[in-house]
Amino acid sequence: MNSKADGILGQTRITIHSVAAAAGVSKSTVSRILDERLPRSDSETARRVRKVAEELGYVRDVSAASLRRGNTMTIGVIVPRLTDTVMAMLYEALAKACSRTGRFAIVATTDDKPKADRLAAESLLKRGVDGLILSTAREDDDFPDELAKRGIPYVLALRTDGHSLSSVGDDRLGGYLAARHLLDLGHRKIGVIAGPSYASSSRGRVDGFKQALAEAGLSADPAYIVPSSFGIESGAVAVETLMNLNPRPTAIFAVNDNTAIGALSGLTKLGLSVPQDISIVGYNDIPIVSHLPTPLTTLRVPFEQIASNALDLLAGDGSDDDRIRISAPTLIPRKSTAPMR
């Protein structure tokens, strides 16, 4: 390195001006070459600039670049809790999708409480996020409408209110596929661990389940549809309710994998075997369910596609007839379901 570069190395912070001076090019040339959002150039000048930047230890000042563009390239993500594997998977998918476009995702949790949603949003907005992605939409809460009135960019993910920009799974199709799978195995008395009614994901999955039953000439008995939270304990409580029915169901559809895991635990305590005594289907395909002693049949949700669609919508890449993007789930048959005996 020449003496000019050696002098620059002694500075406390290496700036774009430092790289330009050491490489003998203009500041705008350096800025263009080092901008990850632009197509990578392999010209001799570009290679020299990147080499000088690396030798000097230059680190791009994202905050300064963001101020010049009028944004921070930071997205705020609001989820009920990160101890819920589904929400952790969504956040990881969003973080990866952000990194591919030079953005950064920060997360806040709310324990699925509407008041906490508002506090989390205000905290993220004070930190200058460019927009919000929320997985906490509830049927009984108009928080998304409040954000819209304030002109705050936001997108709903996994759950929708039916009119906001949303990126969701096809929950109705997923519930339909779960029921169709159990019907094809000969089951007719099928219980449902239905999740909370305030979540569009729960309602959609139950509606799809009912549709499949209706097509098979069966009616959904309300006694066999038990509400729950999305937690493991709630699944254990719900399965006990189902097993007290007469006649008992021969199969269960749980609208998420956590409640399915709780149901498996509850069935074991009751001395029942899966799938010998009863079949069970979950939803989401979180990593652990394929490694259970009885691997769980479930619906796989395309989290990466949902995350990518959410970011596209937040960036304004949607139209009036494309406000809700829906990604199809896939049935993953495993050993927790079998023909009815």
Side-chain angles (χ1 to χ4, degrees):
M1 182 68 64
N2 60 33
S3 58
K4 183 186 291 186
D6 290 337
I8 294 170
L9 277 170
Q11 297 179 6
T12 56
R13 178 176 179 82
I14 304 301
T15 67
I16 200 168
H17 299 278
S18 310
V19 177
V25 297
S26 68
K27 185 184 88 168
S28 61
T29 297
V30 174
S31 178
R32 185 173 63 254
I33 290 170
L34 298 182
D35 191 336
E36 310 91 358
R37 299 169 301 156
L38 299 177
R40 183 181 175 88
S41 171
D42 198 38
S43 68
E44 182 181 345
T45 298
R47 290 196 299 270
R48 185 172 74 253
V49 167
R50 285 194 291 269
K51 181 180 180 185
V52 169
E54 182 181 358
E55 290 176 345
L56 292 179
Y58 170 74
V59 177
R60 184 166 175 263
D61 189 342
V62 176
S63 60
S66 297
L67 286 172
R68 288 192 296 272
R69 291 191 299 268
N71 58 41
T72 64
M73 299 296 285
T74 305
I75 305 301
V77 180
I78 299 177
V79 301
R81 57 192 66 84
L82 286 175
T83 51
D84 182 334
T85 307
V86 170
M87 295 302 168
M89 291 172 72
L90 173 66
Y91 174 63
E92 287 186 1
L94 286 166
K96 289 177 182 177
C98 280
S99 68
R100 289 194 292 269
T101 54
R103 288 176 283 186
F104 185 75
I106 57 176
V107 66
T109 61
T110 67
D111 202 28
D112 231 347
K113 296 177 180 176
K115 184 177 180 180
D117 282 359
R118 290 163 170 79
L119 293 173
E122 292 304 324
S123 178
L124 291 169
L125 291 168
K126 286 177 182 177
R127 285 162 173 76
V129 298
D130 298 327
L132 299 171
I133 295 178
L134 304 92
S135 64
T136 54
R138 301 170 62 104
E139 184 183 45
D140 55 357
D141 186 34
D142 57 0
F143 181 47
D145 295 331
E146 295 173 16
L147 292 173
K149 289 176 182 177
R150 293 170 60 186
I152 296 169
Y154 74 93
V155 171
L156 307 182
L158 294 185
R159 304 181 196 170
T160 181
D161 60 6
H163 59 269
S164 295
L165 292 173
S166 307
S167 177
V168 296
D170 193 335
D171 296 303
R172 189 180 185 97
L173 173 61
Y176 179 92
L177 292 175
R180 189 69 262 169
H181 174 66
L182 293 171
L183 289 167
D184 289 346
L185 291 172
H187 297 281
R188 293 298 179 266
K189 283 293 183 182
I190 306 172
V192 181
I193 301 177
S197 61
Y198 60 73
S200 65
S201 53
S202 296
R203 298 194 306 273
R205 293 165 196 179
V206 173
D207 287 346
F209 170 87
K210 291 178 178 178
Q211 178 187 343
L213 260 62
E215 290 181 3
L218 302 171
S219 59
D221 187 338
Y224 286 77
I225 302 176
V226 180
S228 67
S229 71
F230 285 126
I232 292 175
E233 280 298 322
S234 184
V237 172
V239 82
E240 185 173 349
T241 300
L242 288 169
M243 291 300 102
N244 282 328
L245 295 172
N246 188 14
R248 286 178 169 180
T250 64
I252 294 173
F253 168 45
V255 299
N256 81 337
D257 287 339
N258 279 342
T259 51
I261 290 170
L264 287 169
S265 174
L267 291 168
T268 298
K269 290 179 181 178
L270 292 171
L272 297 172
S273 298
V274 175
Q276 291 81 2
D277 298 318
I278 187 166
S279 290
I280 186 163
V281 177
Y283 206 108
N284 288 310
D285 196 29
I286 63 176
I288 193 173
V289 298
S290 63
H291 303 288
L292 295 172
T294 302
L296 184 68
T297 296
T298 188
L299 278 295
R300 177 174 294 163
V301 174
F303 289 102
E304 291 192 3
Q305 184 177 348
I306 290 171
S308 180
N309 285 341
L311 289 176
D312 286 347
L313 290 169
L314 193 62
D317 294 340
S319 59
D320 288 341
D321 58 354
D322 185 33
R323 296 185 61 81
I324 300 177
R325 294 192 182 178
I326 301 174
S327 304
T330 305
L331 178 72
I332 309 296
R334 296 195 179 101
K335 294 184 179 180
S336 66
T337 50
M340 189 185 75
R341 297 189 178 186

